[in-house]
């Protein structure tokens, strides 16, 4: 006898069970998922089930086996990479959208907030003259911006490259510290990964503008069509901000598209102590920021801003399709006819980017800003920057620490040193592995001028000064232990 499966279950009840499991997770008392004592794999690794177990058992397995063995990323001491657990407001909004608005099209409250939150975000980051579109992350956000740049460059020579393809050699300029998603975008757009001119940086990781000028001049002489200049507002490695004003002026001088990758660092503009470093941002033709980095959104939320979304439309439209447009009320509603949200697509984001089906992301950004305001965001940015400066200050003064890079944003690169350590790179590599095994404070590493650096990046909404102190304590303790071994 086959049993009948029906969609059942009371969301409030089920979510409260998941909520209890998540609160337990947020105490961060469990061991790492790959700890030798963990048994979840035995419980989860079963063959394809022919019979279902029901929503109650699914909930139980989520709470007992899966959530406690999740990622270390949400831990407040996690400072590897530029990724973090979402703030609670983001989780709530994402859950609400997941049920109440599973798509970002049709004009409803969620579609409305998609646009409103984008304007808030632009205004908060001081680019309120720009229009935006959300996408899944900095990778796609950069792709959309550079797609607009490519469209712009070809329209100038009378070609619609998105419609007809391209046959001229092209290139773009980015610093050697630019994120590798720039070169991937160049690959996808037919510019070619090898056609990204990697402009050298100064010893603070900022693009050398003289080198940029030289590269552009050389390309113009050889008949290559330059597509864009990409500047960093916060490099992934060290948080360096390129000289935006100078680069923007060079772009104008050559009538070139000026793109600013602020995936991580754009919110740094909220801290008045460094907002002058963003001077020149107003010259940008496109800007990206990842709310899922410093703003605490759940992963899958990035924003691309351009001056005029019509350019994005020309670059990315899928062109009208019967199954979409035919489903709408075409005539303006006559008097007395009650409009229905199904009769209006709302803002057609699906024509400004590469996704048709996509979640409502704006409500997440709306919730984050609504909860703590620009003031709260500013406090958080300042706090994380202060933590990086604090590590730098201690590292400068302590005989067993060496500062390798003066922090700009919330990344600090430093290492452990001692007179008897023969190979500092190897020593710090091992120290880092031990730090990670302890599973409390988890920075990443990077190379600074060939020197292996410990690299905490503080961005978590749950991350505070005590975590900077704890990291330093751990590094000094482990370093001493290792020296005495
Ligand atoms: C993180 C990052 C990206 C890529 O963003 P994802 O959201 O991980 O796809 C691009 N550029 C910079 C500067 C970044 O820090």
């Amino acid at each position: 006898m086959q049993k009948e499966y029906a969609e059942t279950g009371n969301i409030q009840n089920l979510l409260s069970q998941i909520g209890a499991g998540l609160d337990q997770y947020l105490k961060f008392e469990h061991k790492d998922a790959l700890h030798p004592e963990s048994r979840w794999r035995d419980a989860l690794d079963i063959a394809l089930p022919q019979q279902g177990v029901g929503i109650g058992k699914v909930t139980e397995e989520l709470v007992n086996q899966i959530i406690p063995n999740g990622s270390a990323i949400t831990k407040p001491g996690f400072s590897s990479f530029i990724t973090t657990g979402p703030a609670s407001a983001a989780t709530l909004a994402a859950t609400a959208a997941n049920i109440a608005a599973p798509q970002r099209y049709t004009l409803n409250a969620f579609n409305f907030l998609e646009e409103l939150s984008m304007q808030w975000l632009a205004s908060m980051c001081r680019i309120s003259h720009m229009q935006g579109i959300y996408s899944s992350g900095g990778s796609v956000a950069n792709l959309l911006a550079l797609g607009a740049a490519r469209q712009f460059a070809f329209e100038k020579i009378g070609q619609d490259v998105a419609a007809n393809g391209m046959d001229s050699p092209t290139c773009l300029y980015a610093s050697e510290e630019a994120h590798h998603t720039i070169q991937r975008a160049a690959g996808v757009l037919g510019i070619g990964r090898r056609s990204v001119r990697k402009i050298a940086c100064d010893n603070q990781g900022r693009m050398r503008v003289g080198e940029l000028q030289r590269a552009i001049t050389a390309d113009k002489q050889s008949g290559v069509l330059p597509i864009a200049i990409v500047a960093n507002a916060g490099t992934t490695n060290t948080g360096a901000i390129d000289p935006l004003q100078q680069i923007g002026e060079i772009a104008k001088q050559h009538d070139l598209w000026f793109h600013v990758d602020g995936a991580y660092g754009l919110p740094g503009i909220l801290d008045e102590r460094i907002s002058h470093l963003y001077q020149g941002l107003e010259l940008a033709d496109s800007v990206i920021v990842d709310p899922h980095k410093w703003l605490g959104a759940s992963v899958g939320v990035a924003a691309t801003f351009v001056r005029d979304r019509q350019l994005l439309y020309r670059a990315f439209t899928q062109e009208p399709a019967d199954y979409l447009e035919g489903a709408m009320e075409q005539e303006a509603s006559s008097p007395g006819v009650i409009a229905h949200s199904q009769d209006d697509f709302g803002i057609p984001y699906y024509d400004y980017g590469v996704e048709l089906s996509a979640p409502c992301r704006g409500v997440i950004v709306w919730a984050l800003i609504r909860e703590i305001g620009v003031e709260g965001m500013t406090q958080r940015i300042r706090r994380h920057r202060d933590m990086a400066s604090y590590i730098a200050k201690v590292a400068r003064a302590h005989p067993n620490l060496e500062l390798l890079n003066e922090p700009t944003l919330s990344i600090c690169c430093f290492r452990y040193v001692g007179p008897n350590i023969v190979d500092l790179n190897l020593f710090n590599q091992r120290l880092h592995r031990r730090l990670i095994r302890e599973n409390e404070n988890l920075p990443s590493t990077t190379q600074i001028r060939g020197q292996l650096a410990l690299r905490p990046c503080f961005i978590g909404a749950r991350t505070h000064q005590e975590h900077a102190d704890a990291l330093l304590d751990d590094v000094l303790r482990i370093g001493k232990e290792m020296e005495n071994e």
Side-chain angles (χ1 to χ4, degrees):
M1 248 274 286
Q2 278 201 333
K3 70 177 180 183
E4 195 174 311
Y5 297 94
E7 176 58 24
T8 52
N10 173 286
I11 290 289
Q12 182 173 358
N13 174 359
L14 296 169
L15 282 183
S16 76
Q17 293 178 55
I18 296 295
L22 290 172
D23 272 337
Q24 187 58 37
Y25 166 81
L26 286 173
K27 292 183 184 159
F28 304 109
E29 290 166 350
H30 55 272
K31 295 191 160 63
D32 178 69
L34 294 189
H35 191 278
E37 282 169 25
S38 64
R39 294 277 171 270
W40 53 272
R41 252 190 255 221
D42 301 338
L44 295 179
D45 191 7
I46 61 166
L48 170 70
Q50 296 301 326
Q51 272 85 45
V53 289
I55 192 84
K57 180 80 173 138
V58 169
T59 309
E60 189 188 304
E61 291 188 351
L62 276 166
V63 171
N64 295 330
Q65 301 293 348
I66 301 172
I67 294 172
N69 294 299
S71 166
I73 288 176
T74 306
K75 284 173 98 78
F78 181 92
S79 59
S80 297
F81 321 121
I82 312 183
T83 187
T84 181
S88 301
T91 303
L92 297 182
T95 306
N98 190 274
I99 292 177
Q103 291 281 7
R104 63 180 163 173
Y105 50 75
T106 76
L107 186 47
N108 56 53
F110 287 87
N111 184 272
F112 179 79
L113 289 181
E114 197 86 350
E115 191 65 8
L116 182 73
S117 67
M118 199 99 63
Q119 288 163 3
W120 284 5
L121 186 58
S123 172
M124 188 167 84
C125 297
R126 304 185 198 169
I127 45 171
S128 48
H129 59 289
M130 298 182 110
Q131 302 180 314
I133 174 167
Y134 288 117
S135 62
S136 60
S139 312
V140 176
N142 275 328
L143 175 71
L144 300 188
L146 294 175
R150 187 184 71 154
Q151 191 68 14
F152 172 79
F154 276 90
E155 285 183 2
K156 274 193 306 184
I157 57 168
Q159 294 179 22
D160 183 347
V161 61
N164 303 317
M166 65 191 210
D167 48 19
S168 345
T170 53
C171 69
L172 61 83
Y173 308 91
S175 92
E176 57 190 0
E177 290 286 307
H179 199 273
H180 283 202
T181 54
I182 297 293
Q183 67 187 32
R184 178 166 54 205
V188 173
L189 290 165
I191 297 164
R193 289 198 297 270
R194 298 288 168 272
S195 299
V196 177
R197 310 284 190 249
K198 295 196 174 159
I199 310 299
C201 289
D202 65 15
N203 64 6
Q204 290 297 308
R206 295 170 302 208
M207 187 191 284
R208 289 183 193 274
V209 290
E211 303 277 324
L212 173 66
Q213 278 285 22
R214 269 192 286 285
I216 297 173
T217 309
D219 281 317
K220 283 197 154 172
Q221 276 161 4
S222 68
V224 174
L225 181 67
I227 299 290
I229 306 175
V230 178
N232 295 299
T235 58
T236 312
N237 234 358
T238 64
I241 299 175
D242 284 331
L244 302 180
Q245 180 75 33
Q246 283 172 285
I247 297 173
E249 281 166 14
I250 292 173
K252 296 303 134 197
Q253 185 191 329
H254 294 281
D255 198 16
L256 269 177
W257 187 272
F258 177 36
H259 173 58
V260 175
D261 182 351
Y264 154 47
L266 193 66
I269 200 170
L270 287 172
D271 186 341
E272 289 306 331
R273 294 171 297 179
I274 52 161
S275 53
H276 61 276
L277 297 178
Y278 295 80
Q279 212 176 358
L281 185 64
E282 64 284 358
L283 300 174
D285 296 297
S286 55
V287 178
I288 74 153
V289 60
D290 273 5
H292 71 206
K293 287 181 172 167
W294 219 344
L295 301 184
S298 29
V299 75
V301 188
T304 302
F305 291 97
V306 293
R307 291 171 189 281
D308 178 6
R309 258 186 323 221
Q310 279 314 305
L311 185 62
L312 282 175
Y313 177 88
R314 296 196 296 280
F316 290 108
T317 179
Q318 51 186 356
E319 302 197 347
D322 291 341
Y323 51 82
L324 282 179
E325 273 75 4
M328 294 283 131
E329 175 74 76
Q330 297 297 322
E331 308 299 319
S333 343
S334 31
V337 174
I338 297 166
H340 188 278
S341 62
Q342 278 301 112
D343 281 339
D344 192 334
F345 264 125
I347 308 251
Y349 297 108
Y350 48 83
D351 262 333
Y352 299 147
V354 294
E355 301 162 300
L356 175 55
S357 285
C360 293
R361 300 168 170 120
V363 67
I364 297 173
V365 174
W366 168 84
L368 288 164
I369 299 179
R370 185 87 174 109
E371 186 201 4
I372 61 172
V374 176
E375 197 172 270
M377 284 296 175
T378 307
Q379 278 172 14
R380 194 187 292 163
I381 302 297
R382 290 177 66 99
R383 177 176 91 229
H384 292 142
R385 281 199 61 244
D386 285 346
M387 289 167 65
S389 304
Y390 169 78
I391 300 237
K393 193 176 104 191
V394 175
R396 242 183 260 115
H398 198 288
N400 286 114
L401 297 177
E402 184 187 356
L403 179 65
L404 293 178
N405 202 262
E406 222 31 84
T408 306
L409 296 175
S410 63
I411 296 173
C412 184
C413 296
F414 70 108
R415 65 177 176 175
Y416 188 94
V417 292
N420 300 321
I421 303 171
V422 184
D423 185 340
L424 280 169
N425 281 1
L426 186 64
F427 187 94
N428 279 278
Q429 185 79 63
R430 288 194 179 140
L431 190 155
H432 178 253
R433 293 330 297 169
R434 281 170 69 156
L435 200 53
I436 297 297
R437 295 276 145 68
E438 292 189 355
N439 199 33
E440 287 299 326
N441 296 292
L442 304 107
S444 67
T445 61
T446 191
Q447 296 272 342
I448 302 287
R449 295 176 291 276
Q451 297 163 322
L452 191 114
L454 302 170
R455 175 194 166 281
C457 171
F458 302 111
I459 57 165
R462 297 180 178 85
T463 302
H464 292 267
Q465 173 62 32
E466 71 204 64
H467 302 106
D469 281 313
L471 172 64
L472 284 169
D473 288 350
D474 283 358
V475 168
L476 289 169
R477 173 179 49 78
I478 297 173
K480 269 280 163 285
E481 281 168 18
M482 287 174 60
E483 280 198 272
N484 293 331
E485 273 161 16

